[in-house]
Amino acid sequence: MNFIRRLATTATNTSLQDVVIIGGGPAGLTILSAIKTSPKLKHLKCTLIEGQSLDPIRNFYNDPPENYTNKIVSLTPKSIEFMNNKIGNWEFINQERIKNYDGIIAYDSQDSSSRIEFDIGLIDKDSLATMCEVINIQSSLLQKLETLKQEEEGISEDDLTILDNTKVEKIENPLINEKFLENHDLNQIDPTLEKPNLDWPIIKLNNGNQLQTRLLIGADGYNSPVRKYAQIESRGWQYNRFGVVACIKLQYEDFRSVGWQRFLTTGPLAILPLTEDNATIVWSSTPELSEILMKVNDEIFPHLVTAAMVLEEVDLNYIYSVLAKNPNDFSILQDIEWRLSKFNSRDLDENYPLPVVELIPNTKARFPLKMSHADTYVAPRVALVGDAAHTIHPLAGQGLNMGQSDASALINALEKGIDRGMDIGSTLVLEDYVSNAWPANHALLGICDKLHKVFSTDFYPIVLARGTGMKALNMFDGVKSIMMNMISGR
Ligand SMILES: Cc1cc2nc3c(=O)[nH]c(=O)nc-3n(C[C@H](O)[C@H](O)[C@H](O)COP(=O)(O)OP(=O)(O)OC[C@H]3O[C@@H](n4cnc5c(N)ncnc54)[C@H](O)[C@@H]3O)c2cc1C
């Protein structure tokens, strides 16, 4: 390790690092904090680079905005355990802005009696999952890093650098030039090292500075420049669907504390509880429908959500067609009310979420949905984590949680490497990470992809089969508890 320290502090024009992380999203900040809290890794000289400003995240801890922000995720108990026990950032989470929930009620738009209810009682745990803003997670990680710096004999400024508002423009392998790289596979290159850091990636920044690193971690999202540098193939497809997210207010606080998910043929619509009467929605929809949802008047939108959780798709299609012509057509509110009035009020109270009464201003946004999985997560001196490695349909709320599992598996691999006195950038060390993280992620990606496909059709034989399947499944508590353990990451 002395050897690493010596290299990392050599004075050259290029700043030498043990670890450079590109990306200050939840995955990048998690891996940085996990390295700096690990007794075996904390001495590593680390730099994190983020293209955007982290100021809103820094300010969140002392001065959070009044309303919820719109990037809200469902965290599994496993992710929380990792943040609580391994990293220790959970104590810096703003607890007033998180919400545990106890169950999920999922039902089919083609037959509302085809439903499956997951209840916490089945698995004897405190909660199924916890709703939390992404900014709350990021802010707690930054706060944890701050306290590490302030501790007596804590982390030195020199060993922990965060460069925000700084873009990575280019990553180069000093061994080879770009032309060579076009025709060769980086994984096949066997570096005959004249200098120990000859094959360390060089990271060129938009401010003219450059870094060279023993290990480069790509936490740089779906379009990952690190993945491209490492020539790692990523396979998958666009769903031709958008996820429309928004924060809303329900008629009153729903003490049932459950998440609701209705599988519409255009994609699932989920309402997930937040504190008091707040909730958040993820409405997966076709490009055309998502455009209507984005344009529709803010006062009509809540009624549209209520309608979409209850009415038949034929009714909904009519409502969408009216709003496509005029997104401010308030006459549709009467129409929705009339259609809802045909339902028995007791049935509505018991079997559906509470009516939505308000859209929190400026919280509506849409994201393209895609499935992608990198062939591997590592190359010599490179590891990928989070969305750089995989993106998943949000219907099971697993994307960010998978990034947390990646971070946990990568830290374990690096710790093992250090224990054995190995170079943390070598593929021998990094392979352990892939073999632990890749198969589980692949299985989850496959399950969510199949669920999306099975539910996004109104082809009658499939509707019949899935309805029968859901009803049958709902009767078997044993199978449901296995599924719930999976949902909650246990
Ligand atoms: C609609 C929707 C709902 C979702 N719901 C859930 C949920 O309930 N539960 C769940 O677990 N997940 C959910 N997810 C997924 C989750 O939001 C993502 O998986 C997660 O935020 C990805 O984090 P990340 O840090 O890997 O990537 P990102 O958040 O994409 O971060 C990558 C960072 O890298 C930076 N970067 C990229 N290139 C450069 C460069 N050249 N130089 C410098 N910086 C760079 C970017 O600025 C960015 O900040 C949802 C996603 C969607 C779309």
Side-chain angles (χ1 to χ4, degrees):
M1 196 37 61
N2 284 340
F3 177 60
I4 294 178
R5 306 295 321 125
R6 189 159 48 77
L7 275 174
T9 51
T10 305
T12 69
N13 289 336
T14 305
S15 158
L16 289 177
Q17 304 284 318
D18 294 318
V19 181
V20 167
I21 299 162
I22 305 184
L29 287 170
T30 298
I31 197 82
L32 178 64
S33 310
I35 290 174
K36 286 295 156 190
T37 43
S38 159
K40 294 176 183 171
L41 307 174
K42 64 180 182 187
H43 56 273
L44 296 174
K45 188 175 170 74
C46 297
T47 294
L48 179 143
I49 303 157
E50 167 55 48
Q52 295 174 25
S53 166
L54 292 177
D55 283 345
I57 298 165
R58 290 190 187 99
N59 297 339
F60 181 90
Y61 187 72
N62 289 318
D63 188 17
E66 195 186 327
N67 285 327
Y68 278 102
T69 52
N70 64 4
K71 271 192 163 176
I72 305 178
V73 292
S74 169
L75 284 175
T76 61
K78 186 180 163 204
S79 294
I80 295 175
E81 203 175 289
F82 176 57
M83 290 193 257
N84 208 359
N85 300 341
K86 184 84 184 182
I87 308 180
N89 63 304
W90 195 250
E91 66 174 296
F92 300 107
I93 284 276
N94 183 330
Q95 300 286 335
E96 286 170 14
R97 297 173 76 105
I98 63 172
K99 171 78 178 174
N100 294 338
Y101 64 100
D102 300 336
I104 293 178
I105 300 175
Y107 54 106
D108 192 340
S109 66
Q110 301 296 304
D111 171 8
S112 288
S113 67
S114 299
R115 51 175 62 210
I116 178 160
E117 300 189 10
F118 297 103
D119 185 84
I120 190 67
L122 288 175
I123 53 170
D124 193 27
K125 297 280 182 225
D126 294 341
S127 70
L128 182 64
T130 302
M131 297 304 295
C132 183
E133 292 160 283
V134 172
I135 195 170
N136 198 356
I137 301 168
Q138 288 174 287
S139 142
S140 69
L141 290 162
L142 278 183
Q143 202 56 32
K144 176 69 195 178
L145 288 165
E146 262 323 295
T147 55
L148 289 174
K149 277 188 189 166
Q150 282 155 21
E151 275 171 13
E152 233 177 283
E153 299 194 17
I155 311 292
S156 88
E157 290 274 349
D158 199 37
D159 285 348
L160 168 54
T161 309
I162 296 181
L163 303 172
D164 62 341
N165 279 318
T166 309
K167 213 168 164 352
V168 172
E169 295 222 305
K170 205 168 184 192
I171 310 169
E172 280 177 358
N173 186 328
L175 270 186
I176 42 191
N177 61 36
E178 236 170 61
K179 234 184 168 54
F180 182 94
L181 204 57
E182 270 170 25
N183 304 314
H184 293 78
D185 180 353
L186 196 66
N187 292 292
Q188 302 303 320
I189 295 162
D190 175 19
T192 0
L193 300 176
E194 289 164 18
K195 259 169 69 186
N197 60 333
L198 193 70
D199 68 332
W200 291 19
I202 296 175
I203 297 114
K204 299 193 167 182
L205 308 179
N206 62 347
N207 58 15
N209 294 336
Q210 64 179 40
L211 308 141
Q212 193 171 16
T213 185
R214 176 177 289 276
L215 171 63
L216 174 62
I217 300 181
D220 43 358
Y222 173 65
N223 290 316
S224 174
V226 175
R227 196 181 61 233
K228 284 171 195 147
Y229 159 78
Q231 296 179 299
I232 297 174
E233 194 76 44
S234 177
R235 291 162 212 276
W237 40 82
Q238 300 284 337
Y239 282 116
N240 195 27
R241 292 283 193 280
F242 284 85
V244 174
V245 297
C247 297
I248 52 164
K249 282 198 180 278
L250 301 171
Q251 196 175 27
Y252 44 83
E253 182 169 357
D254 192 345
F255 293 101
R256 290 174 288 190
S257 195
V258 293
W260 300 84
Q261 177 137 277
R262 188 180 198 210
F263 286 96
L264 296 155
T265 49
T266 43
L269 164 59
I271 299 188
L272 295 149
L274 297 171
T275 52
E276 298 166 353
D277 55 351
N278 295 289
T280 179
I281 67 154
V282 184
W283 191 339
S284 307
S285 37
T286 57
E288 300 77 28
L289 176 56
S290 71
E291 246 173 67
I292 298 172
L293 298 177
M294 289 308 292
K295 282 188 190 151
V296 73
N297 186 292
D298 280 6
E299 285 173 34
I300 298 177
F301 184 78
H303 302 274
L304 191 53
V305 178
T306 305
M309 289 307 277
V310 179
L311 297 180
E312 302 268 325
E313 294 222 40
V314 58
D315 294 300
L316 292 174
N317 288 337
Y318 168 74
I319 295 167
Y320 301 150
S321 70
V322 171
L323 292 171
K325 283 187 208 127
N326 178 6
N328 295 308
D329 186 344
F330 276 84
S331 70
I332 202 67
L333 295 184
Q334 251 184 338
D335 190 284
I336 292 175
E337 202 181 323
W338 172 72
R339 285 169 202 264
L340 286 171
S341 70
K342 293 187 192 164
F343 283 73
N344 173 309
S345 61
R346 191 159 164 205
D347 181 28
L348 281 180
D349 285 350
E350 286 178 4
N351 296 318
Y352 294 93
L354 289 174
V356 180
V357 294
E358 194 184 325
L359 166 71
I360 308 284
N362 307 319
T363 60
K364 211 172 10 153
R366 69 171 189 165
F367 303 93
L369 303 181
K370 60 235 165 209
M371 203 291 286
S372 67
H373 200 194
D375 284 357
T376 176
Y377 301 163
V378 304
R381 308 214 167 276
V382 169
L384 303 175
V385 290
D387 277 19
H390 40 66
T391 51
I392 190 168
H393 195 292
L395 65 84
Q398 294 297 324
L400 189 142
N401 291 297
M402 287 163 78
Q404 297 292 305
S405 299
D406 295 345
S408 169
L410 179 56
I411 290 295
N412 286 342
L414 297 180
E415 286 179 340
K416 264 193 222 165
I418 294 279
D419 279 344
R420 293 172 187 163
M422 293 164 76
D423 177 346
I424 55 159
S426 73
T427 28
L428 219 53
V429 169
L430 299 174
E431 281 297 345
D432 188 64
Y433 160 50
V434 193
S435 56
N436 281 307
W438 198 93
N441 285 342
H442 198 66
L444 207 49
L445 282 157
I447 291 169
C448 290
D449 186 51
K450 304 294 172 301
L451 278 174
H452 163 74
K453 285 180 177 140
V454 166
F455 280 98
S456 55
T457 179
D458 56 3
F459 182 53
Y460 187 66
I462 295 185
V463 171
L464 195 68
R466 79 183 177 216
T468 313
M470 278 175 94
K471 282 175 198 156
L473 203 60
N474 203 31
M475 290 191 293
F476 292 108
D477 286 355
V479 182
K480 280 201 291 182
S481 62
I482 292 170
M483 289 174 76
M484 285 176 76
N485 278 325
M486 228 185 72
I487 295 168
S488 62
R490 292 184 183 99

